Amino acid sequence: MFVDSHCHLSSPELAGRIPEIRQAMREAGVDRALCICTTLDEFDLVHRLALDHDGFWCSAGVHPDEEDSREPTVDGLVELTRLDKVVAIGETGLDYYRLAGRELAELAWQRERFRVHIRAARASRRPLVIHTRSASADTLRLLREEEGRDAGGVFHCFTETADVARAALDLGFHISFSGILTFKNANDLREVAAFVPLDRCLIETDSPYLAPMPFRGKVNTPANVPLVARQLADIKSLPLAEIAAITSRNFERLFLGTVPRS
Ligand SMILES: [Zn+2]
Ligand SMILES: [Zn+2]
């Protein structure tokens, strides 16, 4: 059985199709998924998905691309993690790509928001779901300054270099691979995946975005996560079943606390 460690099932493309999506997941052997929150206004929706469905959990946080969104506070986020099935803080982090063309000083609000999430993760003992794009140096710097190691978590939809992966691993973080791993032009990323220790690897779809080959460009769903696992199995020269078992165990250890942290 496979776990999709990062999906946006409350997105307009998917929210009305949950029964059909769950059916497709069952048929594909995907029994669990982490529903990711991107704004405080969206939280009730993702939380409802988690409460209403076996095998779904959710996070609490505000995405760095959501500039005009209500700002979270440390206490407010910690409060949300006390609710049933809220197992992570995020997605959070830094994205200097989507907001390109602006001075870095103008993005101070992103960095401050990221600090709030790291503090909330430490206070609530919940792992961080980190989004980083064109901002890896600052992402790592803030994690160090705020002692994000105490919370741990995952660099989701990883597309950075081997050096960034190494730094994230050194901070105790996991690395999650998405459908991008299957793209033709992703040789560099496949090389990164080759060296990331399997006990730190997660797999995800980031649905509805980033459908893996051969569905690139289509609306993605968690039922496609085995295609990411298949690619990882090829890279690691291991049977698919082993990739499924190890990434599921990693998910349980990181988010559910059901496997002892090593
Ligand atoms: Zn993201
Ligand atoms: Zn996401």
Side-chain angles (χ1 to χ4, degrees):
M1 287 296 205
F2 300 89
V3 184
D4 184 354
S5 71
H6 190 114
C7 57
H8 296 275
L9 297 187
S10 52
S11 68
E13 294 92 330
L14 302 178
R17 297 174 46 198
I18 300 302
E20 170 205 339
I21 287 167
R22 284 182 64 85
Q23 180 60 30
M25 286 172 67
R26 271 190 293 276
E27 285 164 13
V30 182
D31 63 342
R32 292 175 287 183
L34 180 53
C35 302
I36 299 293
C37 177
T38 59
T39 67
L40 294 177
D41 291 334
E42 185 189 22
F43 176 79
D44 284 345
L45 227 57
V46 285
H47 189 222
R48 190 33 58 205
L49 282 169
L51 290 178
D52 286 352
H53 299 97
D54 266 357
F56 282 0
W57 291 266
C58 76
S59 68
V62 182
H63 194 290
D65 287 343
E66 299 286 345
E67 182 166 9
D68 298 320
S69 184
R70 197 147 48 92
E71 280 304 327
T73 62
V74 174
D75 289 348
L77 288 171
V78 170
E79 199 63 38
L80 294 178
T81 65
R82 296 211 176 95
L83 301 171
D84 199 23
K85 296 190 94 174
V86 182
V87 298
I89 294 284
E91 65 179 290
T92 179
L94 300 174
D95 191 328
Y96 295 165
Y97 179 85
R98 289 273 295 269
L99 303 167
R102 289 203 256 165
E103 299 292 327
L104 277 186
E106 285 178 70
L107 301 176
W109 59 270
Q110 262 196 15
R111 293 183 286 275
E112 184 51 35
R113 185 188 285 174
F114 185 27
R115 287 182 192 277
V116 165
H117 283 82
I118 301 170
R119 289 168 197 164
R122 292 182 58 194
S124 63
R125 303 183 162 276
R126 292 290 191 287
L128 287 157
V129 175
I130 292 180
H131 170 110
T132 183
R133 197 169 180 204
S134 306
S136 57
D138 272 5
T139 301
L140 292 164
R141 176 173 65 82
L142 265 58
L143 278 174
R144 290 191 188 102
E145 286 177 8
E146 297 289 340
E147 299 180 67
R149 173 195 291 278
D150 286 356
V154 58
F155 278 57
H156 105 90
C157 193
F158 197 81
T159 52
E160 303 290 331
T161 62
D163 283 346
V164 175
R166 227 172 262 121
L169 292 166
D170 285 349
L171 282 168
F173 280 75
H174 292 64
I175 305 283
S176 179
F177 296 101
S178 68
I180 294 175
L181 198 63
T182 69
F183 294 177
K184 215 184 204 138
N185 57 356
N187 281 326
D188 291 353
L189 186 60
R190 283 187 282 274
E191 279 173 30
V192 172
F195 102 86
V196 174
L198 251 188
D199 67 351
R200 298 281 201 93
C201 287
L202 293 174
I203 50 174
E204 67 172 82
T205 60
D206 207 8
S207 300
Y209 320 107
L210 298 173
M213 295 295 283
F215 303 118
R216 189 172 180 178
K218 303 237 164 66
V219 172
N220 201 6
T221 80
N224 287 331
V225 82
L227 294 168
V228 180
R230 158 61 55 204
Q231 182 69 63
L232 192 58
D234 287 351
I235 292 166
K236 299 288 193 189
S237 302
L238 285 171
L240 182 61
E242 200 162 325
I243 296 294
I246 296 171
T247 53
S248 295
R249 200 159 66 224
N250 295 345
F251 177 87
E252 290 164 9
R253 187 180 58 239
L254 183 61
F255 292 114
L256 309 182
T258 51
V259 182
R261 289 212 196 194
S262 51

